[in-house]
Amino acid sequence: MSTFELRIVTPDGLFYSGEVEYLSVQTTDGRVGFMRGALPRVGILCAGRVDFKTSVIDKSADCGDGIIRVSADGVTLITEYAESEDAPRVRNTDDGELSAREYQTAKVKIAASIKGMREKSSGGE
């Protein structure tokens, strides 16, 4: 089976790069699969599981929202985060589970909000 280059890029850097035989992602048009020779396009990547098959193993990753670019060079996913399916999960009693990445992102946003409120209340507007 012929392969194509898959790159998964996050703000933290390159999450995955390698030759794959098949890729399946969630888009605004539903679940879409790609093989070598797919028509070039740009689309919206929806948060969820990304499945891809290499010549020796099937792999999966959890990815955030982003952009998918299909070209003659291969497929590039630009996503807000990506993590292995076996990454640790943090329990959230209200909404089910948060990934470690989602938990870290929430902590950063809360810290930035608190800092902004402190600056505003001390007259640093």
Side-chain angles (χ1 to χ4, degrees):
M1 187 175 249
S2 59
T3 62
F4 60 94
E5 179 74 17
L6 170 64
R7 290 170 299 283
I8 302 175
V9 183
T10 72
D12 297 330
L14 188 63
F15 174 79
Y16 179 85
S17 179
E19 293 290 317
V20 299
E21 295 177 348
Y22 179 76
L23 168 68
S24 174
V25 300
Q26 187 67 34
T27 71
T28 54
D29 296 325
R31 193 122 189 111
V32 180
F34 299 94
M35 297 177 76
R36 181 174 183 80
L39 293 175
R41 69 179 94 170
V42 174
I44 298 172
L45 176 69
C46 295
R49 194 179 78 240
V50 172
D51 297 313
F52 49 102
K53 179 181 178 181
T54 70
S55 59
V56 293
I57 193 166
D58 293 349
K59 296 183 179 185
S60 293
D62 285 326
C63 290
D65 292 330
I67 298 170
I68 182 167
R69 178 180 171 260
V70 181
S71 68
D73 297 337
V75 177
T76 301
L77 304 179
I78 302 172
T79 179
E80 58 189 356
Y81 70 87
E83 58 191 22
S84 297
E85 285 268 310
D86 57 354
R89 305 294 284 184
V90 177
R91 187 75 183 146
N92 174 354
T93 56
D94 295 335
D95 257 343
E97 294 184 353
L98 292 175
S99 68
R101 174 72 180 174
E102 291 167 323
Y103 177 74
Q104 187 64 27
T105 300
K107 280 179 45 178
V108 169
K109 287 180 179 179
I110 291 168
S113 295
I114 291 171
K115 180 181 178 192
M117 288 188 299
R118 285 184 181 153
E119 289 174 355
K120 192 173 185 177
S121 68
S122 67
E125 297 182 79

